[in-house]
């Protein structure tokens, strides 16, 4: 579910947005506010994925409001003033709904939000439940083909870059998981026992069997190169583990 906040100082306009959100299966209303000040107070203690925000509001207008957070949610502007459109897209708004807008217009914006979140791989915000473990850092979800696959990070042996895709090689699996993802995002998500040793390889340090010159041997069939720009960092890691003269 995509958690949404609706902000509009006009009660009828706010009610309309809330009603539209309720009709879209993948949207969930987290908060409705009649001012940007009220919205800011809510966001001090909670998070949302998307804000549907009017622009022309008293005290703090919508444009200034969305510029203020350091990591703002996705934005859809809702306003009666067409002249704000260009400025709206300057702050990377996903869409711009000109009042009065129909359910069809709103649904178009909602679908754009959904597509944007998939492209950005932005995790959907949710409240923790009693069934959610407090520490879920050992699990990731990867989109592969038409499925979303749960992966235990400890099962990852190494990751191989392939153009815009990654091959994620797992223990006890003959074929890798292939997912559309950047090495940078994967590297940022993995814990400290993973290290990038080449522009095309991230390895699980616990799975190293042997290091032979500039190659890391993961098993009898897997020899991975150590890239020149990663050599020093990898050697420093080996030095911390090395016993002997």
């Amino acid at each position: 579910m995509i958690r949404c906040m609706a902000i509009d100082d006009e009660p009828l306009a706010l009610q309309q947005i809330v009603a539209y959100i309720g009709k879209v299966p993948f949207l969930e209303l987290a908060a409705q506010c009649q001012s940007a000040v009220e919205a800011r107070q809510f966001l001090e203690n909670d998070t949302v994925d998307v804000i549907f925000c009017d622009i022309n509001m008293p005290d703090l207008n919508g444009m200034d409001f969305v510029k203020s957070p350091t990591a703002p949610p996705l934005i859809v502007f809702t306003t009666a003033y067409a002249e704000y459109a260009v400025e709206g897209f300057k702050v990377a708004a996903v869409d711009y709904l000109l009042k009065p807008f129909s359910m069809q217009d709103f649904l178009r914006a909602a679908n754009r939000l959904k597509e944007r979140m998939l492209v950005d791989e932005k995790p959907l915000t949710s409240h923790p439940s009693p069934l959610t473990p407090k520490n879920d850092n050992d699990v990731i979800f990867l989109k592969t083909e038409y499925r979303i696959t749960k992966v235990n990070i400890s099962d990852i042996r190494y990751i191989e870059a392939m153009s815009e895709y990654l091959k994620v090689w797992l223990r006890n699996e003959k074929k890798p998981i292939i997912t559309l993802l950047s090495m940078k995002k994967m590297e940022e998500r993995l814990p400290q026992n993973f290290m990038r040793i080449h522009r095309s390889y991230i390895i699980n340090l616990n799975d190293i069997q042997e290091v032979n010159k500039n190659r890391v041997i993961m098993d009898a069939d897997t020899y991975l190169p150590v890239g020149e720009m990663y050599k020093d960092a990898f050697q420093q890691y080996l030095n911390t583990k090395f016993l002997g003269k």
Side-chain angles (χ1 to χ4, degrees), residues 134-152:
K134 291 183 179 179
N135 183 6
D136 61 353
N137 289 331
D138 57 344
V139 169
I140 57 176
F141 288 85
L142 298 175
K143 186 179 181 183
T144 173
E145 295 179 345
Y146 300 103
R147 306 186 308 275
I148 295 178
T149 302
K150 176 183 176 181
V151 176
N152 293 317

Side-chain angles (χ1 to χ4, degrees), residues 100-237:
F101 50 87
S102 66
M103 179 63 197
Q104 192 64 32
D105 295 329
F106 184 86
L107 187 58
R108 180 202 68 218
N111 285 326
R112 284 186 178 177
L113 286 167
K114 188 177 181 181
E115 292 171 4
R116 174 70 173 272
M117 295 190 78
L118 289 174
V119 169
D120 292 351
E121 293 161 356
K122 181 180 176 65
L124 303 188
T125 305
S126 61
H127 289 295
S129 69
L131 298 179
T132 302
K134 291 183 179 179
N135 183 6
D136 61 353
N137 289 331
D138 57 344
V139 169
I140 57 176
F141 288 85
L142 298 175
K143 186 179 181 183
T144 173
E145 295 179 345
Y146 300 103
R147 306 186 308 275
I148 295 178
T149 302
K150 176 183 176 181
V151 176
N152 293 317
I153 292 178
S154 59
D155 289 339
I156 299 175
R157 298 179 60 239
Y158 67 96
I159 295 149
E160 178 182 0
M162 183 182 64
S163 186
E164 297 179 348
Y165 292 82
L166 298 182
K167 289 182 178 180
V168 181
W169 295 88
L170 305 176
R171 293 194 185 96
N172 304 318
E173 296 289 343
K174 293 183 179 180
K175 293 183 178 181
I177 293 175
I178 299 177
T179 184
L180 180 61
L181 188 64
S182 69
M183 286 288 272
K184 184 176 184 296
K185 284 198 172 183
M186 177 63 84
E187 191 175 11
E188 290 172 349
R189 178 62 182 81
L190 294 172
Q192 291 183 347
N193 59 300
F194 285 82
M195 177 177 284
R196 190 165 184 175
I197 60 167
H198 188 275
R199 61 179 298 185
S200 298
Y201 294 102
I202 298 172
I203 63 170
N204 186 336
L205 296 169
N206 296 331
D207 279 36
I208 296 175
Q209 291 191 4
E210 186 179 332
V211 179
N212 188 338
K213 296 183 179 178
N214 290 329
R215 294 187 304 175
V216 175
I217 301 172
M218 307 297 285
D219 56 46
D221 300 315
T222 308
Y223 294 68
L224 305 180
V226 179
E228 190 66 32
M229 67 181 295
Y230 303 95
K231 189 182 299 183
D232 290 345
F234 183 59
Q235 186 61 52
Q236 288 177 15
Y237 164 76

